[in-house]
């Protein structure tokens, strides 16, 4: 068994976050070190180390969640960046799959 990541601790309620959107499978919250006026982290509640481990069927559900989030933040028409790092050499620091939604530029 692996050591819990900070994101797993957030999902389990052990650490706080500034939630934006949540459902049974996913959680979106403000990044504590934002790189844009709007910087949201989007995670699956179930642990996946990175994108290579992610369940393709769950990705379809995550797509809908991300689209809903963009509408909620009014970024669907204004535009946003969606980014994930996969592996240590890409700059991934937290080894729990997460997407960054950056907007408000």
């Amino acid at each position: 068994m692996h050591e819990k990541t900070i994101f797993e601790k957030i999902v389990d309620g052990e650490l706080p976050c500034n939630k934006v959107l949540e459902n049974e499978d996913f959680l979106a919250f403000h990044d504590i070190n934002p790189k844009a006026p709007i910087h949201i982290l989007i995670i699956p509640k179930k642990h996946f180390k990175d994108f290579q481990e992610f369940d393709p069927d769950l990705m379809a559900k995550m797509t809908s969640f991300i689209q809903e989030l963009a509408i909620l933040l009014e970024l669907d028409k204004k535009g946003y960046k969606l980014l994930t790092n996969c592996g240590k050499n890409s700059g991934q620091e937290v080894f729990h799959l997460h997407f960054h939604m950056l907007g408000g530029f």
Side-chain angles (χ1 to χ4, degrees):
M1 179 144 185
H2 71 278
E3 185 176 331
K4 274 188 180 180
T5 67
I6 190 170
F7 295 157
E8 287 170 286
K9 291 176 182 178
I10 289 170
V11 168
D12 291 345
E14 297 172 24
L15 292 174
C17 72
N18 186 358
K19 285 183 198 174
V20 179
L21 186 64
E22 180 177 21
N23 68 18
E24 67 183 37
D25 296 311
F26 307 106
L27 175 63
F29 54 94
H30 290 273
D31 192 303
I32 61 170
N33 187 20
K35 306 291 187 224
I38 298 171
H39 187 167
I40 307 299
L41 296 174
I42 306 152
I43 64 170
K45 290 183 174 180
K46 182 178 175 189
H47 177 76
F48 296 91
K49 182 182 80 173
D50 57 31
F51 190 75
Q52 285 304 115
E53 286 190 356
F54 198 41
D55 176 358
D57 294 330
L58 201 51
M59 187 65 210
K61 292 171 92 177
M62 190 174 214
T63 298
S64 296
F65 183 81
I66 291 170
Q67 291 169 340
E68 180 182 353
L69 178 64
I71 292 167
L72 177 68
L73 297 172
E74 299 180 349
L75 295 174
D76 57 318
K77 303 284 191 267
K78 296 176 186 175
Y80 59 92
K81 291 182 185 181
L82 191 61
L83 156 70
T84 189
N85 296 318
C86 187
K88 183 176 147 186
N89 290 336
S90 73
Q92 185 176 1
E93 295 176 3
V94 178
F95 291 91
H96 181 116
L97 174 66
H98 58 287
F99 287 85
H100 299 260
M101 179 179 275
L102 302 150
F105 299 101

PDB file of all heavy atoms in Angstrom, residues 67-90:
ATOM      1  N   GLN A  67     -16.228  19.965 -18.087  1.00  0.00           N
ATOM      2  CA  GLN A  67     -17.073  20.874 -18.867  1.00  0.00           C
ATOM      3  C   GLN A  67     -18.057  21.610 -17.963  1.00  0.00           C
ATOM      4  O   GLN A  67     -18.278  22.810 -18.123  1.00  0.00           O
ATOM      5  CB  GLN A  67     -17.796  20.107 -19.970  1.00  0.00           C
ATOM      6  CG  GLN A  67     -16.864  19.627 -21.055  1.00  0.00           C
ATOM      7  CD  GLN A  67     -17.508  18.646 -22.018  1.00  0.00           C
ATOM      8  OE1 GLN A  67     -18.525  18.015 -21.715  1.00  0.00           O
ATOM      9  NE2 GLN A  67     -16.902  18.499 -23.187  1.00  0.00           N
ATOM     10  N   GLU A  68     -18.643  20.914 -17.002  1.00  0.00           N
ATOM     11  CA  GLU A  68     -19.555  21.539 -16.040  1.00  0.00           C
ATOM     12  C   GLU A  68     -18.821  22.604 -15.209  1.00  0.00           C
ATOM     13  O   GLU A  68     -19.337  23.692 -14.960  1.00  0.00           O
ATOM     14  CB  GLU A  68     -20.150  20.472 -15.120  1.00  0.00           C
ATOM     15  CG  GLU A  68     -21.107  21.011 -14.082  1.00  0.00           C
ATOM     16  CD  GLU A  68     -21.643  19.933 -13.141  1.00  0.00           C
ATOM     17  OE1 GLU A  68     -21.392  18.724 -13.357  1.00  0.00           O
ATOM     18  OE2 GLU A  68     -22.325  20.326 -12.174  1.00  0.00           O
ATOM     19  N   LEU A  69     -17.602  22.291 -14.807  1.00  0.00           N
ATOM     20  CA  LEU A  69     -16.786  23.236 -14.047  1.00  0.00           C
ATOM     21  C   LEU A  69     -16.501  24.496 -14.858  1.00  0.00           C
ATOM     22  O   LEU A  69     -16.614  25.614 -14.350  1.00  0.00           O
ATOM     23  CB  LEU A  69     -15.474  22.561 -13.627  1.00  0.00           C
ATOM     24  CG  LEU A  69     -14.476  23.412 -12.859  1.00  0.00           C
ATOM     25  CD1 LEU A  69     -15.055  23.847 -11.507  1.00  0.00           C
ATOM     26  CD2 LEU A  69     -13.171  22.641 -12.671  1.00  0.00           C
ATOM     27  N   ALA A  70     -16.151  24.321 -16.130  1.00  0.00           N
ATOM     28  CA  ALA A  70     -15.875  25.473 -16.998  1.00  0.00           C
ATOM     29  C   ALA A  70     -17.101  26.379 -17.107  1.00  0.00           C
ATOM     30  O   ALA A  70     -16.979  27.616 -17.066  1.00  0.00           O
ATOM     31  CB  ALA A  70     -15.423  25.003 -18.377  1.00  0.00           C
ATOM     32  N   ILE A  71     -18.273  25.787 -17.215  1.00  0.00           N
ATOM     33  CA  ILE A  71     -19.517  26.569 -17.287  1.00  0.00           C
ATOM     34  C   ILE A  71     -19.745  27.305 -15.970  1.00  0.00           C
ATOM     35  O   ILE A  71     -20.043  28.501 -15.957  1.00  0.00           O
ATOM     36  CB  ILE A  71     -20.711  25.665 -17.648  1.00  0.00           C
ATOM     37  CG1 ILE A  71     -20.567  25.173 -19.089  1.00  0.00           C
ATOM     38  CG2 ILE A  71     -22.038  26.398 -17.446  1.00  0.00           C
ATOM     39  CD1 ILE A  71     -21.506  24.027 -19.452  1.00  0.00           C
ATOM     40  N   LEU A  72     -19.564  26.612 -14.853  1.00  0.00           N
ATOM     41  CA  LEU A  72     -19.748  27.205 -13.533  1.00  0.00           C
ATOM     42  C   LEU A  72     -18.841  28.421 -13.335  1.00  0.00           C
ATOM     43  O   LEU A  72     -19.260  29.440 -12.781  1.00  0.00           O
ATOM     44  CB  LEU A  72     -19.471  26.154 -12.450  1.00  0.00           C
ATOM     45  CG  LEU A  72     -19.557  26.622 -10.998  1.00  0.00           C
ATOM     46  CD1 LEU A  72     -21.008  26.957 -10.628  1.00  0.00           C
ATOM     47  CD2 LEU A  72     -19.007  25.556 -10.075  1.00  0.00           C
ATOM     48  N   LEU A  73     -17.609  28.319 -13.805  1.00  0.00           N
ATOM     49  CA  LEU A  73     -16.630  29.407 -13.653  1.00  0.00           C
ATOM     50  C   LEU A  73     -16.706  30.435 -14.780  1.00  0.00           C
ATOM     51  O   LEU A  73     -15.893  31.352 -14.829  1.00  0.00           O
ATOM     52  CB  LEU A  73     -15.216  28.824 -13.576  1.00  0.00           C
ATOM     53  CG  LEU A  73     -14.949  27.912 -12.379  1.00  0.00           C
ATOM     54  CD1 LEU A  73     -13.601  27.239 -12.517  1.00  0.00           C
ATOM     55  CD2 LEU A  73     -15.035  28.700 -11.080  1.00  0.00           C
ATOM     56  N   GLU A  74     -17.655  30.222 -15.703  1.00  0.00           N
ATOM     57  CA  GLU A  74     -17.840  31.092 -16.870  1.00  0.00           C
ATOM     58  C   GLU A  74     -16.594  31.154 -17.748  1.00  0.00           C
ATOM     59  O   GLU A  74     -16.283  32.173 -18.353  1.00  0.00           O
ATOM     60  CB  GLU A  74     -18.288  32.495 -16.437  1.00  0.00           C
ATOM     61  CG  GLU A  74     -19.611  32.476 -15.691  1.00  0.00           C
ATOM     62  CD  GLU A  74     -20.083  33.849 -15.242  1.00  0.00           C
ATOM     63  OE1 GLU A  74     -19.322  34.833 -15.304  1.00  0.00           O
ATOM     64  OE2 GLU A  74     -21.264  33.926 -14.825  1.00  0.00           O
ATOM     65  N   LEU A  75     -15.887  30.038 -17.817  1.00  0.00           N
ATOM     66  CA  LEU A  75     -14.708  29.936 -18.674  1.00  0.00           C
ATOM     67  C   LEU A  75     -15.024  29.230 -19.984  1.00  0.00           C
ATOM     68  O   LEU A  75     -14.194  29.218 -20.894  1.00  0.00           O
ATOM     69  CB  LEU A  75     -13.580  29.183 -17.958  1.00  0.00           C
ATOM     70  CG  LEU A  75     -13.001  29.873 -16.724  1.00  0.00           C
ATOM     71  CD1 LEU A  75     -12.000  28.955 -16.039  1.00  0.00           C
ATOM     72  CD2 LEU A  75     -12.362  31.197 -17.101  1.00  0.00           C
ATOM     73  N   ASP A  76     -16.205  28.648 -20.089  1.00  0.00           N
ATOM     74  CA  ASP A  76     -16.571  27.897 -21.291  1.00  0.00           C
ATOM     75  C   ASP A  76     -16.545  28.777 -22.532  1.00  0.00           C
ATOM     76  O   ASP A  76     -16.159  28.325 -23.608  1.00  0.00           O
ATOM     77  CB  ASP A  76     -17.917  27.212 -21.136  1.00  0.00           C
ATOM     78  CG  ASP A  76     -19.054  28.168 -20.800  1.00  0.00           C
ATOM     79  OD1 ASP A  76     -18.860  29.078 -19.968  1.00  0.00           O
ATOM     80  OD2 ASP A  76     -20.149  27.994 -21.361  1.00  0.00           O
ATOM     81  N   LYS A  77     -16.886  30.037 -22.402  1.00  0.00           N
ATOM     82  CA  LYS A  77     -16.883  30.957 -23.552  1.00  0.00           C
ATOM     83  C   LYS A  77     -15.611  31.818 -23.605  1.00  0.00           C
ATOM     84  O   LYS A  77     -15.182  32.221 -24.671  1.00  0.00           O
ATOM     85  CB  LYS A  77     -18.101  31.885 -23.486  1.00  0.00           C
ATOM     86  CG  LYS A  77     -19.441  31.169 -23.432  1.00  0.00           C
ATOM     87  CD  LYS A  77     -19.852  30.614 -24.768  1.00  0.00           C
ATOM     88  CE  LYS A  77     -21.276  30.128 -24.788  1.00  0.00           C
ATOM     89  NZ  LYS A  77     -21.493  28.747 -24.489  1.00  0.00           N
ATOM     90  N   LYS A  78     -15.024  32.087 -22.431  1.00  0.00           N
ATOM     91  CA  LYS A  78     -13.843  32.963 -22.354  1.00  0.00           C
ATOM     92  C   LYS A  78     -12.543  32.233 -22.674  1.00  0.00           C
ATOM     93  O   LYS A  78     -11.582  32.846 -23.107  1.00  0.00           O
ATOM     94  CB  LYS A  78     -13.742  33.580 -20.958  1.00  0.00           C
ATOM     95  CG  LYS A  78     -14.898  34.481 -20.611  1.00  0.00           C
ATOM     96  CD  LYS A  78     -14.773  34.965 -19.176  1.00  0.00           C
ATOM     97  CE  LYS A  78     -16.002  35.753 -18.775  1.00  0.00           C
ATOM     98  NZ  LYS A  78     -15.949  36.120 -17.348  1.00  0.00           N
ATOM     99  N   GLY A  79     -12.527  30.923 -22.391  1.00  0.00           N
ATOM    100  CA  GLY A  79     -11.340  30.122 -22.663  1.00  0.00           C
ATOM    101  C   GLY A  79     -10.557  29.767 -21.411  1.00  0.00           C
ATOM    102  O   GLY A  79     -10.618  30.480 -20.407  1.00  0.00           O
ATOM    103  N   TYR A  80      -9.845  28.670 -21.494  1.00  0.00           N
ATOM    104  CA  TYR A  80      -9.028  28.188 -20.379  1.00  0.00           C
ATOM    105  C   TYR A  80      -8.001  27.193 -20.897  1.00  0.00           C
ATOM    106  O   TYR A  80      -8.119  26.674 -22.000  1.00  0.00           O
ATOM    107  CB  TYR A  80      -9.902  27.541 -19.294  1.00  0.00           C
ATOM    108  CG  TYR A  80     -10.727  26.363 -19.756  1.00  0.00           C
ATOM    109  CD1 TYR A  80     -10.248  25.061 -19.659  1.00  0.00           C
ATOM    110  CD2 TYR A  80     -12.001  26.548 -20.291  1.00  0.00           C
ATOM    111  CE1 TYR A  80     -11.013  23.980 -20.070  1.00  0.00           C
ATOM    112  CE2 TYR A  80     -12.776  25.478 -20.701  1.00  0.00           C
ATOM    113  CZ  TYR A  80     -12.281  24.193 -20.592  1.00  0.00           C
ATOM    114  OH  TYR A  80     -13.035  23.133 -20.999  1.00  0.00           O
ATOM    115  N   LYS A  81      -6.997  26.937 -20.063  1.00  0.00           N
ATOM    116  CA  LYS A  81      -6.008  25.887 -20.329  1.00  0.00           C
ATOM    117  C   LYS A  81      -6.325  24.717 -19.420  1.00  0.00           C
ATOM    118  O   LYS A  81      -6.719  24.901 -18.267  1.00  0.00           O
ATOM    119  CB  LYS A  81      -4.590  26.364 -19.990  1.00  0.00           C
ATOM    120  CG  LYS A  81      -4.049  27.411 -20.898  1.00  0.00           C
ATOM    121  CD  LYS A  81      -2.630  27.764 -20.474  1.00  0.00           C
ATOM    122  CE  LYS A  81      -2.103  28.900 -21.309  1.00  0.00           C
ATOM    123  NZ  LYS A  81      -0.716  29.251 -20.947  1.00  0.00           N
ATOM    124  N   LEU A  82      -6.142  23.518 -19.937  1.00  0.00           N
ATOM    125  CA  LEU A  82      -6.310  22.312 -19.154  1.00  0.00           C
ATOM    126  C   LEU A  82      -5.024  21.512 -19.293  1.00  0.00           C
ATOM    127  O   LEU A  82      -4.592  21.216 -20.410  1.00  0.00           O
ATOM    128  CB  LEU A  82      -7.509  21.519 -19.672  1.00  0.00           C
ATOM    129  CG  LEU A  82      -7.982  20.372 -18.818  1.00  0.00           C
ATOM    130  CD1 LEU A  82      -8.437  20.847 -17.444  1.00  0.00           C
ATOM    131  CD2 LEU A  82      -9.111  19.633 -19.526  1.00  0.00           C
ATOM    132  N   LEU A  83      -4.410  21.172 -18.166  1.00  0.00           N
ATOM    133  CA  LEU A  83      -3.073  20.594 -18.191  1.00  0.00           C
ATOM    134  C   LEU A  83      -2.934  19.498 -17.144  1.00  0.00           C
ATOM    135  O   LEU A  83      -3.471  19.617 -16.044  1.00  0.00           O
ATOM    136  CB  LEU A  83      -2.087  21.735 -17.910  1.00  0.00           C
ATOM    137  CG  LEU A  83      -0.725  21.517 -17.343  1.00  0.00           C
ATOM    138  CD1 LEU A  83       0.186  20.846 -18.346  1.00  0.00           C
ATOM    139  CD2 LEU A  83      -0.133  22.860 -16.957  1.00  0.00           C
ATOM    140  N   THR A  84      -2.222  18.439 -17.504  1.00  0.00           N
ATOM    141  CA  THR A  84      -1.821  17.432 -16.520  1.00  0.00           C
ATOM    142  C   THR A  84      -0.376  17.039 -16.803  1.00  0.00           C
ATOM    143  O   THR A  84       0.059  17.024 -17.958  1.00  0.00           O
ATOM    144  CB  THR A  84      -2.740  16.187 -16.540  1.00  0.00           C
ATOM    145  OG1 THR A  84      -2.407  15.367 -15.420  1.00  0.00           O
ATOM    146  CG2 THR A  84      -2.640  15.392 -17.809  1.00  0.00           C
ATOM    147  N   ASN A  85       0.359  16.779 -15.748  1.00  0.00           N
ATOM    148  CA  ASN A  85       1.719  16.277 -15.875  1.00  0.00           C
ATOM    149  C   ASN A  85       1.675  14.786 -15.600  1.00  0.00           C
ATOM    150  O   ASN A  85       0.929  14.334 -14.728  1.00  0.00           O
ATOM    151  CB  ASN A  85       2.651  16.959 -14.866  1.00  0.00           C
ATOM    152  CG  ASN A  85       2.775  18.438 -15.122  1.00  0.00           C
ATOM    153  OD1 ASN A  85       2.885  18.884 -16.265  1.00  0.00           O
ATOM    154  ND2 ASN A  85       2.742  19.229 -14.071  1.00  0.00           N
ATOM    155  N   CYS A  86       2.478  14.036 -16.333  1.00  0.00           N
ATOM    156  CA  CYS A  86       2.470  12.582 -16.201  1.00  0.00           C
ATOM    157  C   CYS A  86       3.889  12.099 -15.934  1.00  0.00           C
ATOM    158  O   CYS A  86       4.701  12.008 -16.848  1.00  0.00           O
ATOM    159  CB  CYS A  86       1.887  11.939 -17.457  1.00  0.00           C
ATOM    160  SG  CYS A  86       1.666  10.168 -17.306  1.00  0.00           S
ATOM    161  N   GLY A  87       4.182  11.841 -14.671  1.00  0.00           N
ATOM    162  CA  GLY A  87       5.488  11.317 -14.294  1.00  0.00           C
ATOM    163  C   GLY A  87       6.447  12.388 -13.807  1.00  0.00           C
ATOM    164  O   GLY A  87       6.278  13.578 -14.049  1.00  0.00           O
ATOM    165  N   LYS A  88       7.435  11.927 -13.091  1.00  0.00           N
ATOM    166  CA  LYS A  88       8.439  12.803 -12.473  1.00  0.00           C
ATOM    167  C   LYS A  88       9.135  13.712 -13.490  1.00  0.00           C
ATOM    168  O   LYS A  88       9.327  14.903 -13.245  1.00  0.00           O
ATOM    169  CB  LYS A  88       9.459  11.939 -11.746  1.00  0.00           C
ATOM    170  CG  LYS A  88      10.511  12.685 -10.996  1.00  0.00           C
ATOM    171  CD  LYS A  88      11.398  11.707 -10.237  1.00  0.00           C
ATOM    172  CE  LYS A  88      12.811  12.247 -10.168  1.00  0.00           C
ATOM    173  NZ  LYS A  88      13.739  11.295  -9.586  1.00  0.00           N
ATOM    174  N   ASN A  89       9.491  13.177 -14.641  1.00  0.00           N
ATOM    175  CA  ASN A  89      10.228  13.963 -15.628  1.00  0.00           C
ATOM    176  C   ASN A  89       9.382  15.028 -16.314  1.00  0.00           C
ATOM    177  O   ASN A  89       9.910  15.881 -17.014  1.00  0.00           O
ATOM    178  CB  ASN A  89      10.877  13.056 -16.672  1.00  0.00           C
ATOM    179  CG  ASN A  89      12.029  12.257 -16.098  1.00  0.00           C
ATOM    180  OD1 ASN A  89      12.636  12.659 -15.111  1.00  0.00           O
ATOM    181  ND2 ASN A  89      12.318  11.116 -16.687  1.00  0.00           N
ATOM    182  N   SER A  90       8.072  14.994 -16.098  1.00  0.00           N
ATOM    183  CA  SER A  90       7.193  16.023 -16.668  1.00  0.00           C
ATOM    184  C   SER A  90       6.985  17.167 -15.691  1.00  0.00           C
ATOM    185  O   SER A  90       6.361  18.169 -16.024  1.00  0.00           O
ATOM    186  CB  SER A  90       5.835  15.425 -17.025  1.00  0.00           C
ATOM    187  OG  SER A  90       5.092  15.179 -15.839  1.00  0.00           O
TER     188      SER A  90
END
